[in-house]
Amino acid sequence: MSGLLAGKRIVITGAARGLGRSFASAIAEAGAKVVLCDILAAELQDTAANLRLTGAEVETFCIDLASPESITQVFQEIAAGGGVDGLVNNAALATGVGGKNMMEYDIDLWDRVMTVNVRGTWLVSQAAVPLLAASGHGKIVNVASDTALWGAPNLMAYVASKGAVISMTRSMARELGEQRICVNAIAPGLTLVEATEYVPAARHQLYENGRALVGKQHPTDVDGSVIYLLSPLADFVTGQLLPINGGFVFN
Ligand SMILES: NC(=O)c1ccc[n+]([C@@H]2O[C@H](COP(=O)([O-])OP(=O)(O)OC[C@H]3O[C@@H](n4cnc5c(N)ncnc54)[C@H](O)[C@@H]3O)[C@@H](O)[C@H]2O)c1
């Protein structure tokens, strides 16, 4: 994938750890400057420092997706630093959001999940659109989840939020086509990162045994889909959902 994103500047939210950190590393390896955004200030700086050791060009911004003011402020600063060719909407409230069924689910938690995962994805995209339009070949990749496809139980707000991200992807693709901005979503299956260490063993077993490609899923299994959707190879691909789960569920 070396050189596929040469000369591009790509914004990745939720880049401090987990899948976002892996995407950032792969995107930098493919030749792009990476703009890392996250709410976790210390982890963000660690991730950036490690990436710089590999020779990557890295910028960092602390952002809170629950705050419209924070999003506006950060994108003003990003715009001051130059153009943007791609956005990976990866940040989400993905930990501490499960374990209760729909009869027990907490209203405050529901609201927080929707605010970050759905409203945050919309507002970040909105802030990025003028920059992406100016690039002439802008790309948005939304990170959904295959839990929205198979209806994972005891994870109600998160699953609903990812269903909304998939629907929003299609709507954005229609609205932004005129500006030649492609908008697509990926739906990873259960992937081994820090955050999924707390997922019950039974859920890990379900995925590992249920995949057509039996076994565990790692962040590097997902990276290629993001590089593809950000690259010129996908200039005529928009509004699509790509499940990356080793064949656990099909789209
Ligand atoms: N790991 C999996 O199994 C899996 C599967 C399907 C989808 N996903 C999706 O992949 C993405 C990354 O998840 P992950 O597994 O790496 O988990 P994670 O919790 O490590 O990553 C989420 C990132 O988003 C950041 N974030 C959370 N709230 C934020 C806010 N208000 N403002 C800014 N940043 C915020 C976190 O600090 C973190 O760095 C998420 O969208 C998640 O839903 C993960």
Side-chain angles (χ1 to χ4, degrees), residues 27-44:
I27 291 166
E29 204 182 315
K33 293 181 191 170
V34 287
V35 181
L36 314 185
C37 302
D38 207 291
I39 198 169
L40 300 173
E43 286 89 339
L44 187 61

Side-chain angles (χ1 to χ4, degrees), residues 187-213:
L190 185 61
T191 311
L192 300 185
V193 294
E194 301 95 311
T196 50
E197 283 169 17
Y198 304 99
V199 171
R203 181 67 55 88
H204 280 284
Q205 283 301 313
L206 181 73
Y207 266 95
E208 285 175 37
N209 298 330
R211 292 189 166 107
L213 304 172

Side-chain angles (χ1 to χ4, degrees), residues 59-142:
E59 299 163 70
T60 57
F61 293 93
C62 241
I63 195 169
D64 179 5
L65 261 60
S67 160
E69 296 76 22
S70 166
I71 294 171
T72 303
Q73 172 69 36
V74 164
F75 270 85
Q76 278 171 359
E77 291 173 29
I78 290 173
V84 171
D85 304 285
L87 164 67
V88 184
N89 277 317
N90 167 76
L93 259 190
T95 47
V97 296
K100 288 186 177 172
N101 67 34
M102 65 170 280
M103 305 305 286
E104 305 159 343
Y105 214 87
D106 183 78
I107 289 180
D108 287 342
L109 182 57
W110 173 280
D111 288 345
R112 272 189 285 135
V113 170
M114 290 298 166
T115 299
V116 174
N117 298 11
V118 184
R119 194 183 77 180
T121 297
W122 162 50
L123 290 178
V124 166
S125 303
Q126 189 187 60
V129 160
L131 298 166
L132 294 168
S135 90
H137 43 67
K139 304 279 193 306
I140 298 177
V141 180
N142 292 326

Side-chain angles (χ1 to χ4, degrees), residues 1 19 22-23 26 191-192 217-225 244:
M1 294 188 283
L19 278 165
S22 185
F23 298 155
T191 311
L192 300 185
Q217 176 164 338
H218 300 277
T220 48
D221 294 319
V222 190
D223 290 344
S225 62
I244 309 292

Side-chain angles (χ1 to χ4, degrees), residues 143-164:
V143 181
S145 163
D146 79 348
T147 56
L149 300 178
W150 68 274
N154 301 323
L155 202 56
M156 172 73 54
Y158 177 80
V159 171
S161 76
K162 294 301 183 175

